[in-house]
Amino acid sequence: MLLEKAQSLLLLVDVQEKLLPAIDAGNELENAAAWAMQVALQLGVPVLATEQYPQGIGHTTQKLAELLPEQGVISKLSFSAWREPLFKQRLEQSQRHQIIIMGTEAHVCVLQTALDLISAGYQVFILIEAVGSRQQAHRAQALARMDQAGAVLINKEMLAFEWLERSDTEVFRTIHRGWIR
């Protein structure tokens, strides 16, 4: 199945100030997430973000927070975003059925969110460049488990080009020129 921008919602899970420095390749993850968010914004794809216990772990990193819409962040205590009533409400209100997940940690909050969304009937996609854990082995195990459960593992170019559909648009030319990195 291909991604459709009219059915997609981009979800940033817990990329927070105090956690990101501990994540393996955290800077690369943050850059990939920012790139995906910029593409989503250019194409009108909604973006939501979660923050796990922000009083302790901090808020979404400044680089990513600047790309989020007002009211786009949902605080949570459950590891799975789906188990937070406000998240569930916002997702259902969006009427989007393809959820592209990126964030941390792959083997905890990303995994549990993905598995719950799959169980709830959503099509779940994992943006591999924008998912991480403190340990590379935990990330790899989480990706394998999500893949086995029915999540579709994608990369940044798959995301962008499936949303774009065509090469004869101004948005395609903008992305192709490389200003979104």
Side-chain angles (χ1 to χ4, degrees), residues 21 27 34 52 56 68 72 74 101 111 118-119 128 132 139 145 158:
N27 288 335
Q52 182 73 31
L68 288 169
I74 299 164
I101 303 175
L111 173 72
I118 291 167
S119 292
I128 59 172
R139 178 185 180 274
R145 187 169 173 197
M158 290 175 184

Side-chain angles (χ1 to χ4, degrees), residues 126-147:
I126 307 299
L127 186 57
I128 59 172
E129 295 102 328
V131 175
S133 292
R134 287 167 288 147
Q135 296 180 30
Q136 187 59 256
H138 291 173
R139 178 185 180 274
Q141 291 163 337
L143 290 173
R145 187 169 173 197
M146 288 184 282
D147 181 44

Side-chain angles (χ1 to χ4, degrees), residues 130-179:
V131 175
S133 292
R134 287 167 288 147
Q135 296 180 30
Q136 187 59 256
H138 291 173
R139 178 185 180 274
Q141 291 163 337
L143 290 173
R145 187 169 173 197
M146 288 184 282
D147 181 44
Q148 291 168 346
V152 180
L153 306 182
I154 62 171
N155 63 46
K156 294 185 317 186
E157 289 200 1
M158 290 175 184
L159 173 83
F161 288 108
E162 288 176 32
W163 279 348
L164 285 165
E165 297 180 13
R166 305 177 55 87
S167 64
D168 60 349
T169 66
E170 186 57 37
V171 176
F172 170 80
R173 286 186 282 280
T174 299
I175 292 169
H176 188 262
R177 276 187 230 121
W179 77 270

